[in-house]
Amino acid sequence: MGRRPKVKFKIYEQVTIESAGAEGNAVARVDGKVMFVKYGAPGDVVDLQVIQKKKNYMEGRIIKFHEQSPMRIQPTCSHFGVCGGCKWQHLPYSEQLKIKQQQVIDAMQRIGKLKDFEVLPILGSTQEYGYRNKLDLSFSNRAWTLLPPQEGEERPKALGFHVPGRFDRVLDVNACYLMPDLVNRLHRSVKAYCEANGLSFFDPVTQEGLMRNLLVRCNRDGGWMVLLSFKERDETAIQGLMSHVKAEFPEIVSLLFVVNSKRNDTLQDLEVECFSGEAFLTERLGNLTYKIRPQSFFQTNTLQAEILYQITKDFAGLTGKELVYDLYTGTGSIALFVADGAKEVVGIEYVEEAIADAKENMQMNGISHCKFYAGDMKDILTGDFILEHGRPDVVITDPPRDGMHPSVVARLLEAEPLKIVYVSCNPATQARDAALLAEKYDLVKIQPVDMFPHTHHVENVGLWKLR
């Protein structure tokens, strides 16, 4: 049976990009349909080739510019358009903030069907670059490139990022500007050492090769954590590379490694070994100190996290008399941040290791009036649980991108806390949940906060009050 001929999709000429849309796409309209376009800017006049057709919309790519938007700027990163991490580097940061604010408003109005609420101006990041405190890089024995190598030319090795949507393709990067520059010097040094000493790079298809991952964290005081992941326990290779990293980078206060022979890169079920320094990093938010392990979840923009948590605390309006439930508490970072204003805080989180970190952070900060519980939210937050611990006066919820499970929303409607402070990393699912909360609650105000410049992601804090 012969191969099916490749379908050549239609090209639309001299189309004007109208606006910015969801997931970092730009929006155009052709033949009465919306077309989502990557890396477009409002005001571009371009030729578009359809790459995917759906019932109600299309996806396209720019194949020719007739006019470039006056809004466009030169991206800082040479990997822009290929890496996929920073979809808006071609737009001024001031324009990015306007787009993000409008996306939050649109979600609340169109999905949540809400109208009468206060919108506070979005709070942009104090740093446009170098704001991240964590980065994960992957090794690959075959770097992915836009153009295939010439005949007889060996494909180079990679230490970089997975191409969006492809586990088997890793783009080799020269630098990433989202974290302080030490991460770039470190990753180039590690790659050069591995190549010079014949350490094999991982093949994500065959699952062979020694070097798997490089995880880097830093804190606001200039301390660094580095974790190297090896496919197998090669003592000579491990000792050599770890000694090289320790000697070259005195800023590292936590130098760790792990042997991972699994088919995935998760760390939760692996034993992380400390080569030198501490097995953790500490970070400050407000007057609190948090212990961060390589497996721990912690907001990746420290300075903005402090602002986000302060807004959450201000919205809660605590007087010292309230029982607060903190749903999806993670390592207890928000629960502990607001604890000095509450009578008691009850935190619930699915990941047991995170709850262990929360309890340790509580003890480290001398806090005694927080309780933490591990388990699936919809199974823990039951009527019996609320009877045992008391009806909350205030609920703070910071769910994952999928938002809250419908049963959790139903339980909140039954419990009737006076206030709900909802911290969201996905305005669309927050707005969906807001529509359910509208049965008993009014949305008073929202405060968008940008944690991730040059990406389409935006956080939003909302305050709901019981009618």
Side-chain angles (χ1 to χ4, degrees), residues 264-292:
N264 63 65
D265 297 330
T266 57
L267 299 175
Q268 299 297 341
D269 54 345
L270 298 174
E271 180 185 358
V272 175
E273 302 180 52
C274 184
F275 183 82
S276 70
E278 300 283 359
F280 56 86
L281 200 62
T282 58
E283 185 55 281
R284 294 178 293 107
L285 288 178
N287 60 358
L288 299 176
T289 300
Y290 296 85
K291 186 180 288 188
I292 305 170

mmCIF file of all heavy atoms in Angstrom, residues 264-292:
data_model
loop_
_atom_site.group_PDB
_atom_site.id
_atom_site.type_symbol
_atom_site.label_atom_id
_atom_site.label_comp_id
_atom_site.label_asym_id
_atom_site.label_seq_id
_atom_site.Cartn_x
_atom_site.Cartn_y
_atom_site.Cartn_z
ATOM 1 N N ASN A 264 10.958 7.919 33.085
ATOM 2 C CA ASN A 264 10.548 9.319 33.209
ATOM 3 C C ASN A 264 11.524 10.050 34.116
ATOM 4 O O ASN A 264 12.370 9.421 34.772
ATOM 5 C CB ASN A 264 9.109 9.432 33.731
ATOM 6 C CG ASN A 264 8.942 8.866 35.127
ATOM 7 O OD1 ASN A 264 9.499 9.376 36.091
ATOM 8 N ND2 ASN A 264 8.169 7.782 35.247
ATOM 9 N N ASP A 265 11.401 11.370 34.176
ATOM 10 C CA ASP A 265 12.382 12.195 34.888
ATOM 11 C C ASP A 265 11.920 12.649 36.262
ATOM 12 O O ASP A 265 12.588 13.478 36.888
ATOM 13 C CB ASP A 265 12.722 13.436 34.043
ATOM 14 C CG ASP A 265 13.375 13.083 32.725
ATOM 15 O OD1 ASP A 265 14.071 12.050 32.675
ATOM 16 O OD2 ASP A 265 13.192 13.837 31.745
ATOM 17 N N THR A 266 10.791 12.144 36.752
ATOM 18 C CA THR A 266 10.287 12.597 38.045
ATOM 19 C C THR A 266 11.228 12.165 39.180
ATOM 20 O O THR A 266 11.865 11.114 39.110
ATOM 21 C CB THR A 266 8.883 12.041 38.314
ATOM 22 O OG1 THR A 266 8.919 10.608 38.251
ATOM 23 C CG2 THR A 266 7.892 12.567 37.284
ATOM 24 N N LEU A 267 11.284 12.985 40.221
ATOM 25 C CA LEU A 267 12.218 12.753 41.322
ATOM 26 C C LEU A 267 11.556 12.232 42.586
ATOM 27 O O LEU A 267 12.248 11.782 43.505
ATOM 28 C CB LEU A 267 12.942 14.058 41.669
ATOM 29 C CG LEU A 267 13.803 14.702 40.587
ATOM 30 C CD1 LEU A 267 14.327 16.046 41.073
ATOM 31 C CD2 LEU A 267 14.963 13.785 40.217
ATOM 32 N N GLN A 268 10.223 12.313 42.663
ATOM 33 C CA GLN A 268 9.537 12.067 43.933
ATOM 34 C C GLN A 268 9.845 10.696 44.531
ATOM 35 O O GLN A 268 9.898 10.546 45.751
ATOM 36 C CB GLN A 268 8.013 12.219 43.744
ATOM 37 C CG GLN A 268 7.562 13.586 43.293
ATOM 38 C CD GLN A 268 7.866 14.683 44.301
ATOM 39 O OE1 GLN A 268 8.088 14.418 45.459
ATOM 40 N NE2 GLN A 268 7.883 15.930 43.841
ATOM 41 N N ASP A 269 10.045 9.688 43.685
ATOM 42 C CA ASP A 269 10.248 8.336 44.191
ATOM 43 C C ASP A 269 11.717 7.901 44.143
ATOM 44 O O ASP A 269 12.021 6.717 44.245
ATOM 45 C CB ASP A 269 9.399 7.347 43.391
ATOM 46 C CG ASP A 269 9.653 7.438 41.887
ATOM 47 O OD1 ASP A 269 10.255 8.431 41.443
ATOM 48 O OD2 ASP A 269 9.243 6.517 41.157
ATOM 49 N N LEU A 270 12.632 8.873 43.999
ATOM 50 C CA LEU A 270 14.053 8.553 43.908
ATOM 51 C C LEU A 270 14.809 9.074 45.122
ATOM 52 O O LEU A 270 14.406 10.056 45.750
ATOM 53 C CB LEU A 270 14.654 9.164 42.639
ATOM 54 C CG LEU A 270 14.074 8.677 41.301
ATOM 55 C CD1 LEU A 270 14.668 9.476 40.153
ATOM 56 C CD2 LEU A 270 14.340 7.185 41.112
ATOM 57 N N GLU A 271 15.929 8.432 45.444
ATOM 58 C CA GLU A 271 16.780 8.888 46.537
ATOM 59 C C GLU A 271 17.791 9.890 45.996
ATOM 60 O O GLU A 271 18.669 9.548 45.201
ATOM 61 C CB GLU A 271 17.519 7.710 47.177
ATOM 62 C CG GLU A 271 18.426 8.137 48.318
ATOM 63 C CD GLU A 271 19.257 6.993 48.877
ATOM 64 O OE1 GLU A 271 19.106 5.851 48.400
ATOM 65 O OE2 GLU A 271 20.076 7.264 49.787
ATOM 66 N N VAL A 272 17.659 11.123 46.431
ATOM 67 C CA VAL A 272 18.605 12.167 46.039
ATOM 68 C C VAL A 272 19.775 12.138 47.013
ATOM 69 O O VAL A 272 19.583 12.152 48.231
ATOM 70 C CB VAL A 272 17.932 13.555 46.044
ATOM 71 C CG1 VAL A 272 18.952 14.648 45.752
ATOM 72 C CG2 VAL A 272 16.805 13.593 45.012
ATOM 73 N N GLU A 273 21.003 12.101 46.477
ATOM 74 C CA GLU A 273 22.201 11.997 47.301
ATOM 75 C C GLU A 273 22.948 13.323 47.303
ATOM 76 O O GLU A 273 23.068 13.988 46.276
ATOM 77 C CB GLU A 273 23.096 10.870 46.788
ATOM 78 C CG GLU A 273 22.384 9.521 46.780
ATOM 79 C CD GLU A 273 23.262 8.390 46.271
ATOM 80 O OE1 GLU A 273 24.386 8.251 46.787
ATOM 81 O OE2 GLU A 273 22.825 7.664 45.353
ATOM 82 N N CYS A 274 23.460 13.695 48.471
ATOM 83 C CA CYS A 274 24.165 14.970 48.634
ATOM 84 C C CYS A 274 25.661 14.742 48.443
ATOM 85 O O CYS A 274 26.285 13.973 49.180
ATOM 86 C CB CYS A 274 23.872 15.548 50.013
ATOM 87 S SG CYS A 274 24.598 17.186 50.266
ATOM 88 N N PHE A 275 26.248 15.426 47.461
ATOM 89 C CA PHE A 275 27.686 15.316 47.207
ATOM 90 C C PHE A 275 28.457 16.290 48.091
ATOM 91 O O PHE A 275 29.504 15.950 48.644
ATOM 92 C CB PHE A 275 27.984 15.597 45.722
ATOM 93 C CG PHE A 275 29.428 15.432 45.353
ATOM 94 C CD1 PHE A 275 29.950 14.174 45.078
ATOM 95 C CD2 PHE A 275 30.273 16.521 45.286
ATOM 96 C CE1 PHE A 275 31.294 14.011 44.748
ATOM 97 C CE2 PHE A 275 31.617 16.387 44.946
ATOM 98 C CZ PHE A 275 32.122 15.126 44.672
ATOM 99 N N SER A 276 27.942 17.516 48.227
ATOM 100 C CA SER A 276 28.574 18.485 49.115
ATOM 101 C C SER A 276 27.557 19.548 49.521
ATOM 102 O O SER A 276 26.573 19.779 48.829
ATOM 103 C CB SER A 276 29.791 19.147 48.460
ATOM 104 O OG SER A 276 29.397 20.009 47.412
ATOM 105 N N GLY A 277 27.803 20.193 50.646
ATOM 106 C CA GLY A 277 26.896 21.221 51.141
ATOM 107 C C GLY A 277 25.673 20.617 51.803
ATOM 108 O O GLY A 277 25.691 19.495 52.306
ATOM 109 N N GLU A 278 24.571 21.366 51.768
ATOM 110 C CA GLU A 278 23.314 20.917 52.362
ATOM 111 C C GLU A 278 22.472 20.176 51.324
ATOM 112 O O GLU A 278 22.669 20.324 50.127
ATOM 113 C CB GLU A 278 22.527 22.125 52.891
ATOM 114 C CG GLU A 278 23.245 22.922 53.961
ATOM 115 C CD GLU A 278 23.205 22.238 55.323
ATOM 116 O OE1 GLU A 278 22.603 21.150 55.429
ATOM 117 O OE2 GLU A 278 23.760 22.803 56.272
ATOM 118 N N ALA A 279 21.491 19.419 51.807
ATOM 119 C CA ALA A 279 20.580 18.695 50.914
ATOM 120 C C ALA A 279 19.391 19.551 50.526
ATOM 121 O O ALA A 279 18.445 19.062 49.910
ATOM 122 C CB ALA A 279 20.106 17.413 51.589
ATOM 123 N N PHE A 280 19.448 20.845 50.850
ATOM 124 C CA PHE A 280 18.319 21.738 50.587
ATOM 125 C C PHE A 280 18.853 23.157 50.389
ATOM 126 O O PHE A 280 20.023 23.459 50.650
ATOM 127 C CB PHE A 280 17.317 21.713 51.742
ATOM 128 C CG PHE A 280 17.937 22.055 53.066
ATOM 129 C CD1 PHE A 280 18.071 23.379 53.486
ATOM 130 C CD2 PHE A 280 18.423 21.052 53.899
ATOM 131 C CE1 PHE A 280 18.657 23.692 54.703
ATOM 132 C CE2 PHE A 280 19.013 21.361 55.117
ATOM 133 C CZ PHE A 280 19.132 22.687 55.517
ATOM 134 N N LEU A 281 17.953 24.032 49.927
ATOM 135 C CA LEU A 281 18.221 25.453 49.779
ATOM 136 C C LEU A 281 17.206 26.179 50.647
ATOM 137 O O LEU A 281 16.080 25.692 50.827
ATOM 138 C CB LEU A 281 18.042 25.854 48.315
ATOM 139 C CG LEU A 281 18.691 27.137 47.783
ATOM 140 C CD1 LEU A 281 20.211 27.059 47.889
ATOM 141 C CD2 LEU A 281 18.284 27.350 46.319
ATOM 142 N N THR A 282 17.568 27.303 51.213
ATOM 143 C CA THR A 282 16.598 28.087 51.963
ATOM 144 C C THR A 282 16.264 29.366 51.214
ATOM 145 O O THR A 282 17.089 29.905 50.478
ATOM 146 C CB THR A 282 17.131 28.448 53.364
ATOM 147 O OG1 THR A 282 18.356 29.172 53.247
ATOM 148 C CG2 THR A 282 17.341 27.205 54.203
ATOM 149 N N GLU A 283 15.021 29.821 51.382
ATOM 150 C CA GLU A 283 14.573 31.043 50.725
ATOM 151 C C GLU A 283 13.733 31.853 51.696
ATOM 152 O O GLU A 283 13.105 31.304 52.612
ATOM 153 C CB GLU A 283 13.752 30.699 49.473
ATOM 154 C CG GLU A 283 13.328 31.887 48.636
ATOM 155 C CD GLU A 283 14.493 32.768 48.197
ATOM 156 O OE1 GLU A 283 14.961 33.573 49.039
ATOM 157 O OE2 GLU A 283 14.920 32.641 47.039
ATOM 158 N N ARG A 284 13.712 33.165 51.493
ATOM 159 C CA ARG A 284 12.966 34.073 52.353
ATOM 160 C C ARG A 284 11.781 34.661 51.596
ATOM 161 O O ARG A 284 11.920 35.100 50.451
ATOM 162 C CB ARG A 284 13.865 35.226 52.812
ATOM 163 C CG ARG A 284 14.995 34.822 53.712
ATOM 164 C CD ARG A 284 15.862 36.014 54.089
ATOM 165 N NE ARG A 284 16.593 36.567 52.956
ATOM 166 C CZ ARG A 284 16.311 37.715 52.365
ATOM 167 N NH1 ARG A 284 15.299 38.457 52.786
ATOM 168 N NH2 ARG A 284 17.046 38.152 51.351
ATOM 169 N N LEU A 285 10.623 34.650 52.235
ATOM 170 C CA LEU A 285 9.453 35.373 51.760
ATOM 171 C C LEU A 285 8.880 36.114 52.957
ATOM 172 O O LEU A 285 8.482 35.491 53.949
ATOM 173 C CB LEU A 285 8.391 34.427 51.180
ATOM 174 C CG LEU A 285 8.694 33.768 49.839
ATOM 175 C CD1 LEU A 285 7.553 32.835 49.451
ATOM 176 C CD2 LEU A 285 8.903 34.807 48.754
ATOM 177 N N GLY A 286 8.850 37.434 52.872
ATOM 178 C CA GLY A 286 8.437 38.198 54.030
ATOM 179 C C GLY A 286 9.407 37.955 55.166
ATOM 180 O O GLY A 286 10.630 38.004 54.992
ATOM 181 N N ASN A 287 8.882 37.660 56.354
ATOM 182 C CA ASN A 287 9.742 37.375 57.504
ATOM 183 C C ASN A 287 9.875 35.889 57.769
ATOM 184 O O ASN A 287 10.280 35.469 58.849
ATOM 185 C CB ASN A 287 9.205 38.089 58.759
ATOM 186 C CG ASN A 287 7.784 37.638 59.104
ATOM 187 O OD1 ASN A 287 7.197 36.826 58.387
ATOM 188 N ND2 ASN A 287 7.246 38.163 60.193
ATOM 189 N N LEU A 288 9.550 35.081 56.747
ATOM 190 C CA LEU A 288 9.603 33.635 56.895
ATOM 191 C C LEU A 288 10.748 33.049 56.077
ATOM 192 O O LEU A 288 11.159 33.600 55.051
ATOM 193 C CB LEU A 288 8.285 32.995 56.444
ATOM 194 C CG LEU A 288 7.025 33.406 57.217
ATOM 195 C CD1 LEU A 288 5.808 32.763 56.581
ATOM 196 C CD2 LEU A 288 7.135 33.005 58.674
ATOM 197 N N THR A 289 11.226 31.893 56.540
ATOM 198 C CA THR A 289 12.256 31.148 55.824
ATOM 199 C C THR A 289 11.683 29.795 55.432
ATOM 200 O O THR A 289 11.044 29.118 56.245
ATOM 201 C CB THR A 289 13.500 30.944 56.706
ATOM 202 O OG1 THR A 289 14.024 32.218 57.073
ATOM 203 C CG2 THR A 289 14.572 30.177 55.947
ATOM 204 N N TYR A 290 11.914 29.417 54.183
ATOM 205 C CA TYR A 290 11.398 28.152 53.670
ATOM 206 C C TYR A 290 12.560 27.257 53.262
ATOM 207 O O TYR A 290 13.526 27.713 52.649
ATOM 208 C CB TYR A 290 10.496 28.378 52.456
ATOM 209 C CG TYR A 290 9.244 29.169 52.755
ATOM 210 C CD1 TYR A 290 9.250 30.560 52.751
ATOM 211 C CD2 TYR A 290 8.048 28.525 53.044
ATOM 212 C CE1 TYR A 290 8.112 31.296 53.016
ATOM 213 C CE2 TYR A 290 6.889 29.250 53.314
ATOM 214 C CZ TYR A 290 6.925 30.631 53.301
ATOM 215 O OH TYR A 290 5.787 31.355 53.568
ATOM 216 N N LYS A 291 12.435 25.980 53.593
ATOM 217 C CA LYS A 291 13.420 24.983 53.179
ATOM 218 C C LYS A 291 12.941 24.349 51.874
ATOM 219 O O LYS A 291 11.824 23.837 51.800
ATOM 220 C CB LYS A 291 13.587 23.921 54.268
ATOM 221 C CG LYS A 291 14.689 22.916 53.996
ATOM 222 C CD LYS A 291 14.807 21.897 55.123
ATOM 223 C CE LYS A 291 15.394 22.523 56.370
ATOM 224 N NZ LYS A 291 15.683 21.488 57.405
ATOM 225 N N ILE A 292 13.794 24.399 50.859
ATOM 226 C CA ILE A 292 13.413 23.907 49.529
ATOM 227 C C ILE A 292 14.321 22.748 49.140
ATOM 228 O O ILE A 292 15.542 22.901 49.074
ATOM 229 C CB ILE A 292 13.525 25.027 48.476
ATOM 230 C CG1 ILE A 292 12.714 26.244 48.902
ATOM 231 C CG2 ILE A 292 13.065 24.523 47.116
ATOM 232 C CD1 ILE A 292 12.968 27.463 48.044
#
